[in-house]
Amino acid sequence: MNLHDSVFALITLLLSPQTIARMDLQRVSVALLALIVPISLFIMDSWLWLNTGSGNANYLYFQCLAFTAFLGTILLEFVFASVKRDKALRLTEKNMKLSKYEKHLSPNTQ
Amino acid sequence: METSEASKPEHPTSFSKKSAFFFRYVTVFRFFIAVLLPITTLLLTGQNLSQFNHNTGWSYAFIHPEHTLRNLREGQFFLDHYKSRNSIKGIRLEQFQGLQNAYRSERGFFHLPPLSLVVFQPFFLLSKSLNYTLSSIISGDQNATLYSSNIIFCIQEVLFGILFILIDMKVAYLLMNLSQKLCNLRSERVTSSNCNYKGDFAGLTSIFRPFESYEREMELQMDCLIRPENGYLFGMPTLGNEPSFAQNEDETKSNGADSDEKKVEQKEYIQMNKTEASLPSVSITLPFSSISTCIFFVYYCNPIIIASSIYFHSFQGLFHFVYVAILLRAYNGNAPLAALLLSLWNYFEGLYPMLHMVSVILLVSRRHNTQKSAMGSIGYFCLWSFFLFYISNALIKDDSKDGAIWMDWVHPHSHNLGYNGLHPSLGVLWYFFIQVFFRFTDFFVILFKAIPCVFLVPLSLRLWRYPLELVRQVSYYSICLTNWLLFLQIDSFFMIISLYHCHS
């Protein structure tokens, strides 16, 4: 996992605007902004561990964990939004079908 | 209303004046940096860029350390070394056998598949010829060389920087093209040959139409309770529009007193929501004229992608290109090309891209609506994969050493498949394999690799009608159990979901 790929992943989110519209943008914004913290600390901790020798691998691991958690938040939010979008479409189809069906039956009942 | 603006046909290369100016400005800036940065570094410090950016926290965070120009140079070293030793033989195929030591040794030196060197071979040759040309210009002697590896490396960095700019430009263009198809921003003649989607209401209208227009139509009829709150940002109908039950007032007339009460409640709700949420539906647009243009510029002008391409000289953009091209070809129903690109991706990245064959099959079969296309996709994929692995094996074949034939096929990919020599990255598996006892390593490697494949079979059998659910489950396992490829799986996950919405 690296920033180049993760940025590409986030950009591809824009390919489905109907889904983004259903995402909790506040939560996603917080997660996106929070990503900066583990990334910057990852870079600093790797310098501490591998260059100066005053850190260890655990420092890096917790930054990786935080990074994965924040990114997972965005991913899950996208999944929920996708499900909402699909559900909304199905409900609309169902509603339309019912109305057409009622329209079809109404002359017979009268 | 923004919906009408968003549905205007737009040619993929057409930018507004501001966007075109911005594109030219960024392109010039990128070329400027790509050319000047290596030269300036060489002149000021006498070193090349890769000596600065290798094995740093920045490189671990930004890129895959093995998908870099520096790693390619190591492979090229083995190739050149063997060439000079066997130049008398003059047999072209044997010239590549210098690579066999890189894969055959216990630890292995070169961790990319052999064909990666073949792909970039023209640029290494071009950098050498440019070095000869420069030396002949400087010294006046046609046979003279500068003999400085730093100068050759500088030339390579300039050439690769320019190449990666072009690749990024192409990826951004393909993303924009795909976005236009998905968002229905590009007009497309819909015939029974190029689109066979038939929605539930297609029977009423008796025409074939793409899912984009169908979904847009459904959004207009959608109940205000289930419309997205932020839809106005993307040109979708908002609460300001009349919802479906208000539009179908005539249809509900005959439903008696219950429906009247319901209607009154619904109208009250609509009025309440109109007063609260009608303000955003006026005109709020994205920074660029359309979403596809926005995607183009967000990718092309992204500082992280610019730094990865120009400063770190990472060729991950090439995999992004292959990835977007696979989805675009599969979306268009071009099974052979999609299978070729998928097999290429599978060859370079190993095993996990193969899981997306299911998605490609679903996309292609939905387009053509035949089982032959699905079988054809699998056939093409197997054919191309066999061809690639056969060439790869031929390049590094070593007749002098005994061993199982399949080992020759696996050796170039053993580093990638076996989680060997992991660098610290933003994933977590590198840390896991540090902590695990050596005797259990093979067990966890097999476990991590096999679980997505094991789950793929029952999920495919159960959810073959629902590619969204299928891909979601498989991608979840892939995301959890991969290391370097973690985000490529997430990309696929996002993209397949988008495509699902347009096809299902």
Side-chain angles (χ1 to χ4, degrees), chain B residues 185-208:
Chain B
L185 297 174
R186 185 180 178 185
S187 62
E188 188 179 358
R189 179 175 285 183
V190 180
T191 61
S192 57
S193 60
N194 65 7
C195 181
N196 59 7
Y197 175 75
K198 193 175 182 179
D200 291 338
F201 286 89
L204 298 173
T205 52
S206 301
I207 55 164
F208 292 108

Side-chain angles (χ1 to χ4, degrees), chain A residues 1-5 7-9 15 18 46 58 61 64 71 75-76 78-79 82 85 92-93 96 99, chain B residues 57 61-62 64 179 201 214-215 219 251 302 316 320 425-426 431 476 483 486-487 491 493 495 497 501:
Chain A
M1 191 197 307
N2 50 65
L3 276 177
H4 193 172
D5 283 342
V7 163
F8 180 68
L15 286 172
Q18 288 100 330
S46 62
N58 294 328
Y61 170 67
C64 296
L71 220 52
L75 172 70
L76 282 177
F78 188 79
V79 171
S82 302
R85 177 184 170 185
T92 310
E93 285 173 345
M96 293 283 287
S99 61
Chain B
F62 271 66
H64 189 322
S179 167
F201 286 89
Y214 170 72
E215 191 179 16
E219 280 166 1
E251 297 169 7
N302 200 298
Q316 281 172 262
H320 295 167
S425 70
L426 285 168
Y431 187 81
Y476 260 133
N483 187 39
L486 192 60
F487 261 94
D491 300 341
F493 175 64
M495 298 283 275
I497 286 176
H501 283 299

Side-chain angles (χ1 to χ4, degrees), chain A residues 31-89:
Chain A
L32 270 176
L33 290 173
L35 281 175
I36 299 165
V37 178
I39 290 166
S40 52
L41 284 177
F42 175 89
I43 293 165
M44 199 185 76
D45 288 342
S46 62
W47 177 74
L48 280 176
W49 177 33
L50 300 171
N51 291 51
T52 65
S54 57
N56 60 45
N58 294 328
Y59 292 12
L60 283 186
Y61 170 67
F62 286 111
Q63 305 315 319
C64 296
L65 211 59
F67 181 81
T68 310
F70 289 131
L71 220 52
T73 307
I74 300 169
L75 172 70
L76 282 177
E77 195 60 43
F78 188 79
V79 171
F80 290 151
S82 302
V83 175
K84 276 185 203 169
R85 177 184 170 185
D86 190 50
K87 187 75 177 172
L89 195 66

Side-chain angles (χ1 to χ4, degrees), chain B residues 3-280:
Chain B
T3 314
S4 59
E5 291 175 10
S7 59
K8 278 180 183 174
E10 185 185 349
H11 194 267
T13 53
S14 66
F15 287 135
S16 64
K17 278 186 180 178
K18 280 183 183 177
S19 302
F21 173 77
F22 194 57
F23 170 69
R24 284 191 207 107
Y25 176 77
V26 173
T27 307
V28 169
F29 173 77
R30 286 183 74 145
F31 274 107
F32 191 70
I33 295 291
V35 173
L36 277 192
L37 196 62
I39 294 172
T40 313
T41 311
L42 181 69
L43 291 175
L44 292 178
T45 64
Q47 294 176 323
N48 55 75
L49 262 181
S50 56
Q51 286 173 308
F52 286 100
N53 61 33
H54 184 61
N55 281 341
T56 59
W58 291 94
S59 67
Y60 292 146
F62 271 66
I63 53 163
H64 189 322
E66 287 169 9
H67 293 162
T68 55
L69 175 60
R70 185 188 173 94
N71 199 32
L72 284 175
R73 277 181 196 145
E74 290 174 5
Q76 188 64 25
F77 170 77
F78 291 110
L79 198 60
D80 289 342
H81 181 67
Y82 192 81
K83 266 184 181 175
S84 60
R85 197 155 55 85
N86 293 275
S87 57
I88 301 167
K89 289 184 181 177
I91 301 171
R92 188 171 178 79
L93 195 62
E94 288 184 356
Q95 288 177 354
F96 287 94
Q97 287 186 0
L99 282 173
Q100 64 194 351
N101 293 325
Y103 297 113
R104 279 254 176 203
S105 61
E106 289 179 0
R107 293 182 62 82
F109 300 113
F110 185 57
H111 304 311
L112 289 172
L115 283 180
S116 58
L117 279 178
V118 179
V119 169
F120 291 103
Q121 194 64 24
F123 293 92
F124 284 112
L125 294 173
L126 185 63
S127 62
K128 276 183 187 173
S129 63
L130 277 174
N131 184 35
Y132 286 128
T133 311
L134 276 174
S135 58
S136 63
I137 290 168
I138 293 168
S139 64
D141 184 6
Q142 289 187 351
N143 295 321
T145 53
L146 293 176
Y147 291 116
S148 171
S149 59
N150 281 333
I151 294 173
I152 299 174
F153 288 167
C154 178
I155 295 168
Q156 287 174 358
E157 281 162 0
V158 170
L159 286 176
F160 273 76
I162 293 168
L163 172 70
F164 295 147
I165 289 171
L166 296 176
I167 289 172
D168 284 346
M169 204 184 291
K170 186 66 183 171
V171 174
Y173 175 80
L174 287 180
L175 277 172
M176 186 172 74
N177 201 350
L178 190 60
S179 167
Q180 281 170 343
K181 282 180 182 293
L182 297 177
C183 302
N184 198 23
L185 297 174
R186 185 180 178 185
S187 62
E188 188 179 358
R189 179 175 285 183
V190 180
T191 61
S192 57
S193 60
N194 65 7
C195 181
N196 59 7
Y197 175 75
K198 193 175 182 179
D200 291 338
F201 286 89
L204 298 173
T205 52
S206 301
I207 55 164
F208 292 108
R209 50 188 171 172
F211 184 77
E212 292 89 346
S213 62
Y214 170 72
E215 191 179 16
R216 198 166 285 270
E217 207 174 293
M218 286 294 109
E219 280 166 1
L220 289 170
Q221 304 294 328
M222 199 171 276
D223 195 301
C224 65
L225 288 169
I226 53 176
R227 280 184 187 172
E229 292 177 3
N230 304 315
Y232 63 90
L233 281 170
F234 305 100
M236 294 167 66
T238 56
L239 293 171
N241 295 336
E242 291 182 359
S244 60
F245 43 71
Q247 284 178 344
N248 298 328
E249 199 174 341
D250 297 334
E251 297 169 7
T252 53
K253 269 182 181 176
S254 60
N255 289 341
D258 293 339
S259 62
D260 291 337
E261 288 173 9
K262 214 175 190 178
K263 204 166 63 181
V264 170
E265 286 176 8
Q266 286 168 352
K267 279 187 176 177
E268 283 174 2
Y269 181 82
I270 293 161
Q271 289 302 322
M272 187 178 71
N273 282 312
K274 268 185 180 177
T275 51
E276 286 178 0
S278 58
L279 281 176

Side-chain angles (χ1 to χ4, degrees), chain B residues 393-412:
Chain B
N393 186 38
L395 290 174
I396 60 164
K397 194 176 179 183
D398 186 8
D399 295 329
S400 61
K401 293 186 179 180
D402 296 328
I405 296 172
W406 66 272
M407 287 302 289
D408 289 334
W409 292 61
V410 169
H411 264 302

Side-chain angles (χ1 to χ4, degrees), chain B residues 237-389:
Chain B
T238 56
L239 293 171
N241 295 336
E242 291 182 359
S244 60
F245 43 71
Q247 284 178 344
N248 298 328
E249 199 174 341
D250 297 334
E251 297 169 7
T252 53
K253 269 182 181 176
S254 60
N255 289 341
D258 293 339
S259 62
D260 291 337
E261 288 173 9
K262 214 175 190 178
K263 204 166 63 181
V264 170
E265 286 176 8
Q266 286 168 352
K267 279 187 176 177
E268 283 174 2
Y269 181 82
I270 293 161
Q271 289 302 322
M272 187 178 71
N273 282 312
K274 268 185 180 177
T275 51
E276 286 178 0
S278 58
L279 281 176
S281 66
V282 181
S283 67
I284 297 175
T285 53
L286 286 169
F288 295 92
S289 59
S290 68
I291 296 166
S292 54
T293 315
C294 182
I295 290 174
F296 181 92
F297 281 106
V298 169
Y299 184 85
Y300 190 65
C301 307
N302 200 298
I304 291 172
I305 287 172
I306 292 173
S308 302
S309 306
I310 296 173
Y311 181 66
F312 293 107
H313 293 103
S314 165
F315 57 88
Q316 281 172 262
L318 203 62
F319 297 119
H320 295 167
F321 166 70
V322 171
Y323 169 68
V324 182
I326 287 169
L327 295 175
L328 205 57
R329 299 305 166 204
Y331 184 88
N332 291 334
N334 192 344
L337 200 53
L340 169 63
L341 292 166
L342 189 66
S343 58
L344 266 173
W345 188 23
N346 188 51
Y347 173 79
F348 281 106
E349 297 284 351
L351 203 60
Y352 279 119
M354 201 191 297
L355 299 178
H356 295 285
M357 193 64 218
V358 179
S359 315
V360 170
I361 288 169
L362 287 171
L363 289 170
V364 171
S365 58
R366 277 169 189 263
R367 187 78 176 185
H368 292 296
N369 205 17
T370 56
Q371 288 188 349
K372 277 184 183 178
S373 58
M375 296 305 293
S377 304
I378 297 170
Y380 280 122
F381 176 75
C382 294
L383 184 71
W384 289 122
S385 296
F386 178 80
F387 183 64
L388 286 171
F389 279 93

